[in-house]
DNA sequence: TCTACCCAACGAACGGCGTTCGTGTCAAGT
DNA sequence: ACTTGACACGAACGCCGTTCGTTGGGTAGA
């Protein structure tokens, strides 16, 4: 349902209610149930529509690790481009929509091209997908909605105040990392996670 | 609020409402706002109480990687032991409760003991924490609540039916991995992810 | 052409939610 | 004994997802 994605983009996830959607379609809430059996099903349709925009690389064994990065980046990109979708992705327990399956198959194909066994590829794909969803969710909430800038700032101050109130030697590391943990470093943290995990996978593949 | 955790354990996350909690305390919903300013604040207190049960290892440079595993396992264990808490952990944008901060500091301390720079430790700790929350959330939903067994089974059939309806060569890998992806392999998938990521971190640390 | 039927679409309502407001109650201070 | 203040509470507000019974228009048959 395109209309739902428009509302999501314009007014945020909280505004995507059956009533609001019905209003956009100039009808009543009850009428929506002729096209969708559930709000969950609506969410699933929205997720699938968004995920369909993520490109799927053609596996090339020589480039497999960069292609895995590209696949994950693509998933994250489309989710972050539609803030709120990542939250929906978490709510859906087992995604069995066409786009989800295509993404899953693509991930497995790339990992196998990298020399992993089927089992290794399964587990690695699971971990990478989990991370993609997690990262997209966090990135979305930083850039949008749920928490506004004032609330975020308040939290930051609260944290600093709380930690200052403790003996400084209790949090020697935490007190130093503030500079690394801003929204600006988000992309860098993603690349770090991908690099590290893929480095681990190469160690594994070398042992096969 | 202990009473809230009892309701969570007995009746699931959906039952943790201000009204239900008030009923358990033999009072009205409005009275709760004398002790808690928000439902969000209640959730934060619940999360902190649960996280407080996760043990914090004393850093030993010789054992750092196994200690990181233990820390993550501990976080996951306490969350899965209280199904629904993992979901709360995702809803809270920036966890600034005492237990959360202690866990964060412990993670940084272990990673630094492993020879990572502060920046590397920050990014790695971020990724590991993200993964712990993600894994705990998934594990909780498999073992509990949100989706019942019948619904899960229906989804499984739906997926198989859908994939069978497509040319088999479109999903050569996905069609084979069913055996690896049951609830029984969950612990194995966790260990795989930890092993892989830590292997990647060691490559990094060696370059310092 | 007229009639009978069917079913998609709908208004209205149900039971729930988080939260707020104004009132009552009761113990401590004078 | 009287005042005062803080705390607890009943009732209500405006939302939510979903369901029920009705309706009205289009089509198939006579």
């Amino acid at each position: 349902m395109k209309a739902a994605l428009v509302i999501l983009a314009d007014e945020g996830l909280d505004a995507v209610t059956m009533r609001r959607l019905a209003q956009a379609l100039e009808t009543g809430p009850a009428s929506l149930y002729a096209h969708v059996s559930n709000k969950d099903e609506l969410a699933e349709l929205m997720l699938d529509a968004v995920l369909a925009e993520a490109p799927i690389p053609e596996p090339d064994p020589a480039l497999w690790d960069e292609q895995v990065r590209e696949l994950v980046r693509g998933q994250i990109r489309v989710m972050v481009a539609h803030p709120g979708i990542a939250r929906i992705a978490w709510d859906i327990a087992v995604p069995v929509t066409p786009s989800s399956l295509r993404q899953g198959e693509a991930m497995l194909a790339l990992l196998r091209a990298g020399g992993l066994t089927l089992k290794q590829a399964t587990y690695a794909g699971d971990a990478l997908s989990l991370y993609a969803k997690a990262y997209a969710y966090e990135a979305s909430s930083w850039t949008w909605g749920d928490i506004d800038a004032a609330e975020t700032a308040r939290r930051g101050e609260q944290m600093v105040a709380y930690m200052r109130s403790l003996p400084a030697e209790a949090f020697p590391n935490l007190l130093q990392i503030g500079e690394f943990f801003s929204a600006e470093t988000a992309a860098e943290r993603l690349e770090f996670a991908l690099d590290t995990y893929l480095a681990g996978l190469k160690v594994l593949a070398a042992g096969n």
Side-chain angles (χ1 to χ4, degrees), chain A:
Chain A
M1 214 57 120
K2 292 289 181 62
L5 288 175
V6 172
I7 296 176
L8 180 70
D10 291 349
E11 309 175 32
L13 181 59
D14 287 348
V16 181
T17 74
M18 299 303 265
R19 289 176 146 80
R20 179 67 189 83
L21 177 58
Q23 176 191 326
L25 264 31
E26 295 183 335
T27 178
S31 306
L32 302 179
Y33 288 81
H35 306 88
V36 176
S37 72
N38 248 347
K39 197 193 179 183
D40 287 356
E41 192 174 308
L42 172 68
E44 202 164 322
L45 290 173
M46 293 171 70
L47 174 62
D48 191 66
V50 168
L51 235 40
E53 297 174 12
I56 293 183
E58 191 65 32
D60 176 345
L63 305 171
W64 74 277
D65 62 320
E66 181 55 22
Q67 287 187 308
V68 167
R69 270 180 268 252
E70 272 305 320
L71 187 67
V72 172
R73 285 192 204 109
Q75 292 176 1
I76 290 172
R77 189 182 344 108
V78 297
M79 285 177 139
V80 174
H82 300 265
I85 280 288
R87 169 56 178 276
I88 291 177
W90 278 111
D91 288 345
I92 296 175
V94 184
V96 290
T97 67
S99 297
S100 297
L101 295 177
R102 262 196 299 272
Q103 294 285 329
E105 176 66 28
M107 180 73 86
L108 289 176
L110 291 178
L111 293 170
R112 295 231 60 187
L116 298 182
T117 67
L118 183 61
K119 187 175 183 177
Q120 288 170 336
T122 304
Y123 288 4
D126 176 48
L128 286 166
S129 301
L130 230 49
Y131 184 79
K133 281 200 293 185
Y135 181 90
Y137 182 80
E138 284 233 326
S140 297
S141 67
W142 277 81
T143 62
W144 235 77
D146 313 336
I147 44 175
D148 52 341
E151 171 71 6
T152 305
R154 205 186 58 79
R155 283 307 195 100
E157 289 167 19
Q158 182 179 332
M159 180 167 81
V160 172
Y162 177 75
M163 294 197 310
R164 289 261 163 77
S165 77
L166 294 178
E169 60 270 23
F171 296 97
N173 296 292
L174 260 187
L175 285 169
Q176 288 182 265
I177 68 170
E179 53 173 322
F180 299 131
F181 224 112
S182 67
E184 285 81 31
T185 65
E188 207 177 321
R189 297 206 303 273
L190 167 60
E191 294 303 321
F192 179 90
L194 288 174
D195 286 346
T196 306
Y197 195 77
L198 284 169
L201 283 183
K202 280 182 187 164
V203 173
L204 238 68
N208 285 342

